[in-house]
Amino acid sequence: MATAKTLYDKIWDSHVIDVQDDGTALIFIDRHIIHEITSAQAFDGLREAKRTVRHPELHILVPDHNVPTANRDKEIENEESRLQIDVLKQNAIAFKLPYIELNDVRQGIVHVIGPEQGFTLPGLTLVCGDSHTATHGALGALAFGIGTSEVEHVLATQTLIQRPSKNMRITVDGALPRGLTPKDLILAIIAKIGTAGGTGCVIEYAGKAIEDMSIEGRMTVCNMTIEAGARAGLVAPDQKTFDYIKGRPMAPKGALWEQAVAFWKTLPSDAGARYDKEVTLAVSAIEPQVSWGTSPQDVLPILANVPNPADIADEAQRRSVERALHYMGLKAGQRLTDIHVNKVFIGSCTNSRIEDMRAAAAVAKGRKVASSVYAMVVPGSGLVKHQAEAEGLDRIFKEAGFDWREPGCSMCIAMNGDMLQPGERSASTSNRNFEGRQGPGGRTHLVSPAMAAAAAIDGHLTDVRKFL
Amino acid sequence: MQKFTRVDGVAAPMPMINIDTDRIIPARFLKTIKRTGLGKNLFNDIRYTPDGREIADFVLNKGPYRKAEIIVAGRNFGCGSSREHAPWALLDFGIRCVIAEDFADIFYNNSFKNGILLIKLPAAVVAKLMDDAEKGSNARLTVDLEKQEITRPNGETVKFDIDPFRKHCLLNGLDDIGLTLQKDAKIKGYEATASSQTPWLVPPH
Ligand code: SF4
């Protein structure tokens, strides 16, 4: 019998073109998504070297990071943003690459539109010049973020030079308790294994909680895998995956569909496959999670208190906690539920899909945003926005006092003008709470969409379970 | 790509752990369509006050460190986003080498592709080099890639490991794309097989 392989091994092995003596491999890249921030220099590189794009049909270009989330009918005010978006379009035209316009209903965040369009499929390799490319692993694709030199490399050769990663499996047993979302689960996982817990690995998520989870939820989990230092996240494709993909614009059709599904069914890890690292988590004990510091591992259950540096023995750790508390403007040991917020952001590739909109709307319904809070909802794509409007979610949000915006990355990365002012504090459904991530001096608390909506209503971090 | 053979320069100590790419170059400086010019905003938010004055305490604002070519850093340097602007900003400032216990994956890849040498060393060795770096202009480090050796100010040498392929590319300033295109026949072979076995994925070339 051949040796038992993991899902990752199978995808990796089937994409290797060549291996050097030292183990460095050349692998084929099936799909590539390109946005305006990390691509201009790559296209310049192609031009300088007089190179062409090897497979134009295997790429999609879409603006998302820098796009305004209001007044889309007007010209973009910020000159640098406008230039970046123009350059993206010019490059799409010059190299004859598929391009989604800013005002196209399909426009949205790279990691929302890939799965939505059926561009992301099980068993393929997919890359994008953005670290949260791990999101696409929810469909059983090997998906990871790359830098601009690699964007250029993929354009020119449809390949990448890579070294194999280690296999890590995180098994999540049990069913998610009431009020708990995939976001709480992944925050709890990162708190447990740390921001370097997955370094050098591809993490496969398994267990009942993952099997029971929707594809959208699996995307939230895979999305933040990068915050645990891993290269990519993966979930084995199953019937839910096939149902999600079927009929999407770029998914295979007819006989090809049958052939593809038969192939996808061979992808899950073989029984007895070996993992370099294993972690098991019982989900029943998890409470709604919230980050208190400036690293995504600085996470605690909502009913806990902010850590006290005096309790930490390791000096580097203690100093890092002291620094985080200082930056965040928090007192050692204070209750998390006593932390007031100025802004609430519901959006980003972590939590801007239809399920996230529904979860936040369920909390917002019939309630009002606190007068001290500005709250915004930014759907992940034009199609998510449409769907939400068809379900009447936009009205629920607006009646509650939330601002309902156009799709894009928005305040996740604060490049488009949606941002925190120095000292302002947000409850945010995005993925990074680094210093200055949402604006210089801004303070970010990472939470689930339901927890964000609850914080908007109470005006401070709060336990959403009382609203359910 | 710029070659890397040997650097003899001032090393700046940055003992913080988890220095992320947002800290190396905050997102609002990514609106450029060029690779150059980012050095002035390297570590912007810990280097300048909000109104643009230098923060005297910050290492790269102090005398000899203004010309630092090496950084000795705390664990997990370069975590966070995949932006290649982080190595571009380091390079534009003049940094050619970073030494730490470990680095984040994507940043590690990106740095080598831009001619920056990243050296991983055990905690105890990094601590010694950190002490050296604290001594400012009195303490230059020499990093010799060919010999895989760092010479400390006291003359002691420290060996480091590096993947032979990365070393070869860095020493010769080789461009990955050129190397890959030499394997065109193999890529074509792969495409032919893939387009017959998984035709929904790879169209014939
Ligand atoms: S939403 Fe945030 S994390 Fe996601 S792609 Fe955009 S900037 Fe990156």
Side-chain angles (χ1 to χ4, degrees):
Chain A
M1 200 192 98
T3 38
K5 285 184 178 185
T6 64
L7 168 59
Y8 168 69
D9 297 337
K10 292 182 192 185
I11 304 179
W12 174 266
D13 290 350
S14 66
H15 285 83
V16 171
I17 298 167
D18 187 43
V19 188
Q20 287 169 210
D21 294 341
D22 66 356
T24 310
L26 185 67
I27 66 165
F28 195 78
I29 299 301
D30 297 311
R31 300 284 187 270
H32 182 204
I33 314 182
I34 298 173
H35 62 82
E36 74 278 22
I37 305 297
T38 54
S39 65
Q41 294 87 347
F43 285 108
D44 272 356
L46 286 184
R47 281 194 192 88
E48 281 161 27
K50 302 205 169 30
R51 286 173 175 142
T52 53
V53 177
R54 187 176 183 95
H55 279 290
E57 70 286 4
L58 299 182
H59 309 263
I60 287 190
L61 281 72
V62 65
D64 63 352
H65 280 60
N66 221 338
V67 304
T69 53
N71 304 323
R72 283 282 178 84
D73 45 344
K74 300 207 188 72
E75 184 164 79
I76 300 172
E77 271 174 39
N78 183 293
E79 205 175 312
E80 288 164 309
S81 301
R82 193 172 65 234
L83 180 64
Q84 272 189 326
I85 293 165
D86 277 354
V87 166
L88 184 73
K89 182 173 179 174
Q90 294 315 322
N91 283 327
I93 295 169
F95 290 91
K96 300 197 171 55
L97 303 174
Y99 175 67
I100 298 179
E101 291 271 0
L102 182 57
N103 283 321
D104 191 308
V105 68
R106 298 169 303 160
Q107 183 270 340
I109 305 173
V110 279
H111 311 311
V112 175
I113 69 155
E116 198 170 71
Q117 291 300 316
F119 189 68
T120 310
L121 300 171
L124 54 64
T125 51
L126 180 149
V127 295
C128 173
D130 182 284
S131 49
H132 291 93
T133 308
T135 314
H136 307 254
L139 295 169
L142 176 58
F144 51 90
I146 56 175
T148 301
S149 298
E150 290 174 308
V151 168
E152 186 180 337
H153 196 277
V154 174
L155 284 163
T157 69
Q158 205 61 40
T159 67
L160 276 179
I161 300 170
Q162 294 284 303
R163 305 194 59 124
S165 302
K166 292 199 201 94
N167 278 291
M168 175 166 177
R169 180 165 61 184
I170 298 184
T171 307
V172 191
D173 291 327
L176 279 184
R178 193 181 66 95
L180 259 265
T181 69
K183 179 65 164 286
D184 300 296
L185 175 60
I186 187 63
L187 286 173
I189 289 173
I190 297 164
K192 182 180 163 102
I193 69 173
T195 49
T199 303
C201 300
V202 165
I203 300 179
E204 180 179 339
Y205 296 95
K208 186 172 182 329
I210 303 294
E211 285 159 27
D212 288 351
M213 201 177 275
S214 69
I215 299 296
E216 282 86 352
R218 294 175 188 178
M219 287 192 222
T220 301
V221 171
C222 286
N223 173 278
M224 287 196 71
T225 301
I226 187 78
E227 258 54 69
R231 189 96 178 105
L234 277 172
V235 176
D238 58 10
Q239 191 57 45
K240 271 189 203 163
T241 318
F242 310 148
D243 294 344
Y244 175 92
I245 296 168
K246 194 164 189 189
R248 293 193 181 261
M250 301 174 85
K253 311 250 158 17
L256 270 188
W257 170 258
E258 300 303 328
Q259 197 186 343
V261 172
F263 175 77
W264 296 340
K265 287 182 175 165
T266 68
L267 290 172
S269 298
D270 300 328
R274 223 187 55 79
Y275 292 85
D276 302 288
K277 240 177 165 175
E278 290 251 27
V279 173
T280 307
L281 209 81
V283 78
S284 52
I286 298 179
E287 314 242 342
Q289 304 282 306
V290 49
S291 74
W292 55 266
T294 53
S295 158
Q297 71 186 10
D298 297 343
V299 164
L300 285 167
I302 180 66
L303 297 176
N305 295 359
V306 168
N308 189 343
D311 301 340
I312 301 167
D314 179 77
E315 198 196 327
Q317 278 300 332
R318 186 173 59 243
R319 269 196 281 155
S320 141
V321 168
E322 277 167 0
R323 186 185 162 89
L325 291 183
H326 175 74
Y327 180 85
M328 293 296 290
L330 298 174
K331 286 196 288 292
Q334 85 175 96
R335 278 201 309 213
L336 285 167
T337 48
D338 286 342
I339 300 174
H340 286 259
V341 298
N342 314 93
K343 285 186 175 158
V344 167
F345 171 62
I346 299 174
S348 91
C349 58
T350 313
N351 283 124
S352 64
R353 283 166 282 265
I354 189 67
E355 231 175 52
D356 303 313
M357 302 288 114
R358 288 179 191 141
V363 174
K365 190 168 188 176
R367 301 195 172 95
K368 288 275 180 238
V369 170
S371 57
S372 54
V373 173
Y374 166 76
M376 68 197 299
V377 186
V378 183
S381 71
L383 289 167
V384 169
K385 182 167 187 256
H386 255 233
Q387 168 85 27
E389 287 171 358
E391 294 178 18
L393 305 183
D394 59 321
R395 266 183 292 119
I396 295 177
F397 284 126
K398 286 183 212 157
E399 279 165 20
F402 287 82
D403 198 358
W404 179 247
R405 314 280 291 188
E406 300 290 339
C409 294
S410 180
M411 209 166 78
C412 170
I413 190 162
M415 289 188 71
N416 71 335
D418 301 340
M419 64 198 295
L420 296 178
Q421 297 306 312
E424 273 189 341
R425 187 185 298 282
S426 75
S428 174
T429 66
S430 54
N431 41 50
R432 288 193 171 142
N433 52 348
F434 298 151
E435 288 184 21
R437 171 74 176 189
Q438 296 194 297
R443 296 158 171 166
T444 302
H445 296 275
L446 303 175
V447 288
S448 76
M451 285 282 284
I457 289 152
D458 275 0
H460 55 83
L461 298 178
T462 190
D463 187 345
V464 67
R465 288 173 294 189
K466 70 175 184 201
F467 289 132
L468 300 177
Chain B
M1 187 180 91
Q2 218 176 325
K3 286 184 189 174
F4 188 110
T5 45
R6 204 179 136 164
V7 165
D8 170 22
V10 170
M14 297 193 72
M16 287 114 85
I17 58 172
N18 298 327
I19 297 181
D20 59 70
T21 51
D22 280 71
R23 203 169 303 172
I24 298 173
I25 182 84
R28 60 189 189 285
F29 300 111
L30 310 190
K31 294 188 177 187
T32 171
I33 53 169
K34 299 206 197 77
R35 283 188 171 89
T36 49
L38 289 163
K40 60 179 184 297
N41 301 114
L42 176 70
F43 298 114
N44 193 87
D45 294 353
I46 45 178
R47 185 166 154 202
Y48 307 106
T49 59
D51 54 3
R53 278 172 301 122
E54 285 188 357
I55 297 171
D57 253 9
F58 181 66
V59 62
L60 298 182
N61 290 333
K62 293 187 206 163
Y65 297 117
R66 290 176 182 275
K67 293 218 161 62
E69 290 173 74
I70 301 165
I71 289 176
V72 185
R75 281 197 43 228
N76 201 27
F77 188 86
C79 59
S81 111
S82 63
R83 65 185 66 147
E84 206 154 313
H85 305 69
W88 294 339
L90 287 164
L91 199 62
D92 195 59
F93 180 88
I95 303 293
R96 293 301 311 279
C97 174
V98 186
I99 302 168
E101 205 181 324
D102 54 11
F103 298 90
D105 266 358
I106 305 179
F107 175 77
Y108 192 76
N109 269 322
N110 285 343
S111 295
F112 278 92
K113 288 184 197 304
N114 287 282
I116 300 177
L117 172 63
L118 301 187
I119 302 178
K120 294 185 204 175
L121 288 169
V125 184
V126 175
K128 279 200 226 169
L129 297 173
M130 192 72 78
D131 285 345
D132 290 342
E134 299 285 357
K135 296 182 188 131
S137 56
N138 299 327
R140 299 171 76 89
L141 295 179
T142 306
V143 178
D144 187 322
L145 176 58
E146 182 61 58
K147 292 195 198 143
Q148 297 183 214
E149 199 174 84
I150 302 168
T151 309
R152 301 181 54 201
N154 65 4
E156 197 184 298
T157 57
V158 175
K159 287 279 179 192
F160 60 88
D161 281 336
I162 178 165
D163 164 312
F165 180 62
R166 290 193 200 278
K167 178 177 175 179
H168 173 72
C169 292
L170 217 50
L171 282 174
N172 298 291
L174 290 180
D175 155 327
D176 278 356
I177 298 179
L179 288 171
T180 296
L181 288 174
Q182 291 171 6
K183 297 181 178 168
D184 189 53
K186 284 187 175 170
I187 303 174
K188 285 210 175 85
Y190 175 93
E191 287 165 342
T193 315
S195 61
S196 72
Q197 285 176 357
T198 50
W200 63 91
L201 278 188
V202 185
H205 188 60

